[in-house]
PDB file of all heavy atoms in Angstrom:
ATOM      1  N   TRP A  55     -26.700 -61.987 -52.843  1.00 98.00           N
ATOM      2  CA  TRP A  55     -25.291 -62.049 -52.300  1.00 98.00           C
ATOM      3  C   TRP A  55     -25.210 -62.418 -50.864  1.00 98.00           C
ATOM      4  O   TRP A  55     -24.425 -63.325 -50.434  1.00 98.00           O
ATOM      5  CB  TRP A  55     -24.559 -60.737 -52.570  1.00 98.00           C
ATOM      6  CG  TRP A  55     -23.144 -60.815 -52.007  1.00 98.00           C
ATOM      7  CD1 TRP A  55     -22.619 -60.242 -50.902  1.00 98.00           C
ATOM      8  CD2 TRP A  55     -22.072 -61.563 -52.596  1.00 98.00           C
ATOM      9  NE1 TRP A  55     -21.311 -60.561 -50.751  1.00 98.00           N
ATOM     10  CE2 TRP A  55     -20.948 -61.372 -51.778  1.00 98.00           C
ATOM     11  CE3 TRP A  55     -21.961 -62.414 -53.721  1.00 98.00           C
ATOM     12  CZ2 TRP A  55     -19.716 -61.979 -52.036  1.00 98.00           C
ATOM     13  CZ3 TRP A  55     -20.736 -63.028 -53.992  1.00 98.00           C
ATOM     14  CH2 TRP A  55     -19.642 -62.833 -53.154  1.00 98.00           C
ATOM     15  N   ASN A  56     -25.889 -61.704 -49.949  1.00 98.00           N
ATOM     16  CA  ASN A  56     -25.671 -61.857 -48.510  1.00 98.00           C
ATOM     17  C   ASN A  56     -25.825 -63.285 -48.040  1.00 98.00           C
ATOM     18  O   ASN A  56     -25.101 -63.758 -47.159  1.00 98.00           O
ATOM     19  CB  ASN A  56     -26.568 -60.890 -47.698  1.00 98.00           C
ATOM     20  CG  ASN A  56     -26.044 -59.471 -47.730  1.00 98.00           C
ATOM     21  OD1 ASN A  56     -24.957 -59.217 -48.250  1.00 98.00           O
ATOM     22  ND2 ASN A  56     -26.819 -58.550 -47.194  1.00 98.00           N
ATOM     23  N   ASP A  90     -26.733 -61.276 -57.945  1.00 99.00           N
ATOM     24  CA  ASP A  90     -25.432 -60.601 -57.679  1.00 99.00           C
ATOM     25  C   ASP A  90     -24.334 -61.310 -58.454  1.00 99.00           C
ATOM     26  O   ASP A  90     -24.590 -61.951 -59.467  1.00 99.00           O
ATOM     27  CB  ASP A  90     -25.216 -60.529 -56.189  1.00 99.00           C
ATOM     28  CG  ASP A  90     -24.290 -59.360 -55.747  1.00 99.00           C
ATOM     29  OD1 ASP A  90     -23.065 -59.423 -55.896  1.00 99.00           O
ATOM     30  OD2 ASP A  90     -24.865 -58.328 -55.324  1.00 99.00           O
ATOM     31  N   ASP A  91     -23.128 -61.275 -57.970  1.00 98.00           N
ATOM     32  CA  ASP A  91     -21.977 -61.804 -58.681  1.00 98.00           C
ATOM     33  C   ASP A  91     -22.123 -63.294 -58.962  1.00 98.00           C
ATOM     34  O   ASP A  91     -22.877 -63.998 -58.274  1.00 98.00           O
ATOM     35  CB  ASP A  91     -20.730 -61.609 -57.771  1.00 98.00           C
ATOM     36  CG  ASP A  91     -19.443 -61.429 -58.561  1.00 98.00           C
ATOM     37  OD1 ASP A  91     -19.475 -61.717 -59.771  1.00 98.00           O
ATOM     38  OD2 ASP A  91     -18.454 -60.968 -57.994  1.00 98.00           O
ATOM     39  N   TYR A 131     -25.919 -57.959 -61.941  1.00 99.00           N
ATOM     40  CA  TYR A 131     -24.709 -57.351 -61.358  1.00 99.00           C
ATOM     41  C   TYR A 131     -23.561 -57.380 -62.312  1.00 99.00           C
ATOM     42  O   TYR A 131     -23.404 -58.348 -63.042  1.00 99.00           O
ATOM     43  CB  TYR A 131     -24.381 -58.171 -60.092  1.00 99.00           C
ATOM     44  CG  TYR A 131     -22.944 -58.038 -59.567  1.00 99.00           C
ATOM     45  CD1 TYR A 131     -22.665 -57.243 -58.434  1.00 99.00           C
ATOM     46  CD2 TYR A 131     -21.900 -58.712 -60.173  1.00 99.00           C
ATOM     47  CE1 TYR A 131     -21.368 -57.147 -57.984  1.00 99.00           C
ATOM     48  CE2 TYR A 131     -20.598 -58.647 -59.652  1.00 99.00           C
ATOM     49  CZ  TYR A 131     -20.361 -57.820 -58.604  1.00 99.00           C
ATOM     50  OH  TYR A 131     -19.083 -57.716 -58.090  1.00 99.00           O
ATOM     51  N   THR A 138     -15.011 -58.744 -61.861  1.00 98.00           N
ATOM     52  CA  THR A 138     -15.890 -58.577 -60.688  1.00 98.00           C
ATOM     53  C   THR A 138     -15.073 -59.029 -59.419  1.00 98.00           C
ATOM     54  O   THR A 138     -13.973 -59.514 -59.525  1.00 98.00           O
ATOM     55  CB  THR A 138     -17.126 -59.452 -60.797  1.00 98.00           C
ATOM     56  OG1 THR A 138     -16.743 -60.828 -60.563  1.00 98.00           O
ATOM     57  CG2 THR A 138     -17.804 -59.307 -62.136  1.00 98.00           C
ATOM     58  N   CYS A 139     -15.719 -58.832 -58.273  1.00 98.00           N
ATOM     59  CA  CYS A 139     -15.021 -59.151 -57.045  1.00 98.00           C
ATOM     60  C   CYS A 139     -14.810 -60.690 -56.935  1.00 98.00           C
ATOM     61  O   CYS A 139     -13.992 -61.114 -56.118  1.00 98.00           O
ATOM     62  CB  CYS A 139     -15.779 -58.590 -55.848  1.00 98.00           C
ATOM     63  SG  CYS A 139     -15.826 -56.784 -55.907  1.00 98.00           S
ATOM     64  N   GLN A 140     -15.540 -61.453 -57.681  1.00 98.00           N
ATOM     65  CA  GLN A 140     -15.326 -62.895 -57.684  1.00 98.00           C
ATOM     66  C   GLN A 140     -14.642 -63.352 -58.960  1.00 98.00           C
ATOM     67  O   GLN A 140     -14.781 -64.459 -59.458  1.00 98.00           O
ATOM     68  CB  GLN A 140     -16.651 -63.655 -57.513  1.00 98.00           C
ATOM     69  CG  GLN A 140     -17.379 -63.291 -56.238  1.00 98.00           C
ATOM     70  CD  GLN A 140     -16.528 -63.499 -54.987  1.00 98.00           C
ATOM     71  OE1 GLN A 140     -15.858 -64.549 -54.830  1.00 98.00           O
ATOM     72  NE2 GLN A 140     -16.507 -62.536 -54.098  1.00 98.00           N
ATOM     73  N   LYS A 165     -26.620 -53.466 -60.636  1.00 99.00           N
ATOM     74  CA  LYS A 165     -25.669 -53.123 -59.555  1.00 99.00           C
ATOM     75  C   LYS A 165     -24.298 -53.204 -60.115  1.00 99.00           C
ATOM     76  O   LYS A 165     -23.903 -54.185 -60.725  1.00 99.00           O
ATOM     77  CB  LYS A 165     -25.840 -54.104 -58.382  1.00 99.00           C
ATOM     78  CG  LYS A 165     -24.790 -53.965 -57.286  1.00 99.00           C
ATOM     79  CD  LYS A 165     -25.067 -54.972 -56.152  1.00 99.00           C
ATOM     80  CE  LYS A 165     -23.877 -55.015 -55.174  1.00 99.00           C
ATOM     81  NZ  LYS A 165     -24.110 -55.981 -54.118  1.00 99.00           N
ATOM     82  N   ASP A 167     -20.253 -52.847 -59.534  1.00 99.00           N
ATOM     83  CA  ASP A 167     -19.241 -52.940 -58.470  1.00 99.00           C
ATOM     84  C   ASP A 167     -17.941 -52.255 -58.866  1.00 99.00           C
ATOM     85  O   ASP A 167     -17.849 -51.670 -59.956  1.00 99.00           O
ATOM     86  CB  ASP A 167     -19.008 -54.435 -58.134  1.00 99.00           C
ATOM     87  CG  ASP A 167     -18.774 -54.694 -56.674  1.00 99.00           C
ATOM     88  OD1 ASP A 167     -18.296 -53.766 -55.990  1.00 99.00           O
ATOM     89  OD2 ASP A 167     -18.992 -55.814 -56.215  1.00 99.00           O
ATOM     90  N   CYS A 169     -14.507 -53.637 -58.195  1.00 98.00           N
ATOM     91  CA  CYS A 169     -13.277 -54.409 -58.046  1.00 98.00           C
ATOM     92  C   CYS A 169     -12.444 -54.247 -59.322  1.00 98.00           C
ATOM     93  O   CYS A 169     -12.924 -53.897 -60.403  1.00 98.00           O
ATOM     94  CB  CYS A 169     -13.609 -55.880 -57.793  1.00 98.00           C
ATOM     95  SG  CYS A 169     -13.874 -56.171 -56.029  1.00 98.00           S
ATOM     96  N   CYS A 199     -21.779 -49.283 -56.709  1.00 98.00           N
ATOM     97  CA  CYS A 199     -21.235 -50.026 -55.562  1.00 98.00           C
ATOM     98  C   CYS A 199     -19.737 -49.828 -55.461  1.00 98.00           C
ATOM     99  O   CYS A 199     -18.964 -50.720 -55.746  1.00 98.00           O
ATOM    100  CB  CYS A 199     -21.612 -51.519 -55.752  1.00 98.00           C
ATOM    101  SG  CYS A 199     -21.060 -52.578 -54.439  1.00 98.00           S
ATOM    102  N   TRP A 201     -18.481 -48.573 -52.631  1.00 98.00           N
ATOM    103  CA  TRP A 201     -18.219 -48.724 -51.183  1.00 98.00           C
ATOM    104  C   TRP A 201     -17.960 -47.362 -50.490  1.00 98.00           C
ATOM    105  O   TRP A 201     -17.339 -47.360 -49.403  1.00 98.00           O
ATOM    106  CB  TRP A 201     -17.078 -49.708 -50.940  1.00 98.00           C
ATOM    107  CG  TRP A 201     -17.056 -50.859 -51.830  1.00 98.00           C
ATOM    108  CD1 TRP A 201     -18.098 -51.695 -52.100  1.00 98.00           C
ATOM    109  CD2 TRP A 201     -15.976 -51.281 -52.701  1.00 98.00           C
ATOM    110  NE1 TRP A 201     -17.702 -52.642 -53.009  1.00 98.00           N
ATOM    111  CE2 TRP A 201     -16.429 -52.426 -53.392  1.00 98.00           C
ATOM    112  CE3 TRP A 201     -14.673 -50.849 -52.942  1.00 98.00           C
ATOM    113  CZ2 TRP A 201     -15.648 -53.105 -54.298  1.00 98.00           C
ATOM    114  CZ3 TRP A 201     -13.849 -51.520 -53.837  1.00 98.00           C
ATOM    115  CH2 TRP A 201     -14.333 -52.637 -54.507  1.00 98.00           C
ATOM    116  N   ARG A 218     -23.573 -47.106 -52.890  1.00 98.00           N
ATOM    117  CA  ARG A 218     -23.115 -47.596 -51.595  1.00 98.00           C
ATOM    118  C   ARG A 218     -22.273 -46.535 -50.921  1.00 98.00           C
ATOM    119  O   ARG A 218     -21.435 -45.912 -51.545  1.00 98.00           O
ATOM    120  CB  ARG A 218     -22.332 -48.860 -51.841  1.00 98.00           C
ATOM    121  CG  ARG A 218     -23.158 -50.113 -52.070  1.00 98.00           C
ATOM    122  CD  ARG A 218     -23.606 -50.749 -50.753  1.00 98.00           C
ATOM    123  NE  ARG A 218     -22.455 -51.141 -50.020  1.00 98.00           N
ATOM    124  CZ  ARG A 218     -21.753 -52.229 -50.308  1.00 98.00           C
ATOM    125  NH1 ARG A 218     -22.134 -53.058 -51.223  1.00 98.00           N
ATOM    126  NH2 ARG A 218     -20.649 -52.534 -49.643  1.00 98.00           N
ATOM    127  N   ASP A 222     -18.739 -53.342 -47.160  1.00 98.00           N
ATOM    128  CA  ASP A 222     -19.747 -54.410 -47.105  1.00 98.00           C
ATOM    129  C   ASP A 222     -20.318 -54.637 -45.689  1.00 98.00           C
ATOM    130  O   ASP A 222     -19.530 -54.710 -44.737  1.00 98.00           O
ATOM    131  CB  ASP A 222     -19.198 -55.736 -47.591  1.00 98.00           C
ATOM    132  CG  ASP A 222     -19.055 -55.741 -49.108  1.00 98.00           C
ATOM    133  OD1 ASP A 222     -19.194 -54.706 -49.751  1.00 98.00           O
ATOM    134  OD2 ASP A 222     -18.762 -56.820 -49.624  1.00 98.00           O
ATOM    135  N   ASP A 261     -25.971 -50.503 -47.662  1.00 98.00           N
ATOM    136  CA  ASP A 261     -25.814 -51.945 -48.054  1.00 98.00           C
ATOM    137  C   ASP A 261     -27.112 -52.715 -47.711  1.00 98.00           C
ATOM    138  O   ASP A 261     -28.004 -52.229 -47.025  1.00 98.00           O
ATOM    139  CB  ASP A 261     -24.584 -52.607 -47.407  1.00 98.00           C
ATOM    140  CG  ASP A 261     -24.084 -53.758 -48.275  1.00 98.00           C
ATOM    141  OD1 ASP A 261     -24.713 -54.086 -49.302  1.00 98.00           O
ATOM    142  OD2 ASP A 261     -23.069 -54.386 -47.926  1.00 98.00           O
ATOM    143  N   MET A 262     -27.072 -53.926 -48.238  1.00 98.00           N
ATOM    144  CA  MET A 262     -28.319 -54.750 -48.209  1.00 98.00           C
ATOM    145  C   MET A 262     -28.600 -55.329 -46.809  1.00 98.00           C
ATOM    146  O   MET A 262     -27.736 -55.367 -45.966  1.00 98.00           O
ATOM    147  CB  MET A 262     -28.196 -55.872 -49.223  1.00 98.00           C
ATOM    148  CG  MET A 262     -27.844 -55.297 -50.598  1.00 98.00           C
ATOM    149  SD  MET A 262     -27.465 -56.500 -51.846  1.00 98.00           S
ATOM    150  CE  MET A 262     -25.924 -57.161 -51.304  1.00 98.00           C
TER     151      MET A 262
HETATM  152  C1  LIG B  25     -18.538 -56.602 -53.355  1.00 81.40           C
HETATM  153  C2  LIG B  25     -19.883 -55.908 -53.083  1.00 81.40           C
HETATM  154  C3  LIG B  25     -20.878 -56.901 -52.515  1.00 81.40           C
HETATM  155  C4  LIG B  25     -21.020 -58.075 -53.465  1.00 81.40           C
HETATM  156  C5  LIG B  25     -19.671 -58.693 -53.782  1.00 81.40           C
HETATM  157  C6  LIG B  25     -19.790 -59.685 -54.920  1.00 81.40           C
HETATM  158  O1  LIG B  25     -17.940 -56.979 -52.196  1.00 81.40           O
HETATM  159  O2  LIG B  25     -19.748 -54.826 -52.232  1.00 81.40           O
HETATM  160  O3  LIG B  25     -22.090 -56.288 -52.231  1.00 81.40           O
HETATM  161  O4  LIG B  25     -21.643 -57.594 -54.658  1.00 81.40           O
HETATM  162  O5  LIG B  25     -18.745 -57.740 -54.197  1.00 81.40           O
HETATM  163  O6  LIG B  25     -18.567 -60.273 -55.257  1.00 81.40           O
END
Side-chain angles (χ1 to χ4, degrees):
W55 181 254
N56 282 354
D90 208 280
D91 209 347
Y131 161 102
T138 73
C139 297
Q140 302 304 315
K165 173 177 169 183
D167 216 336
C169 276
C199 180
W201 323 306
R218 280 276 299 282
D222 284 10
D261 206 358
M262 304 173 292

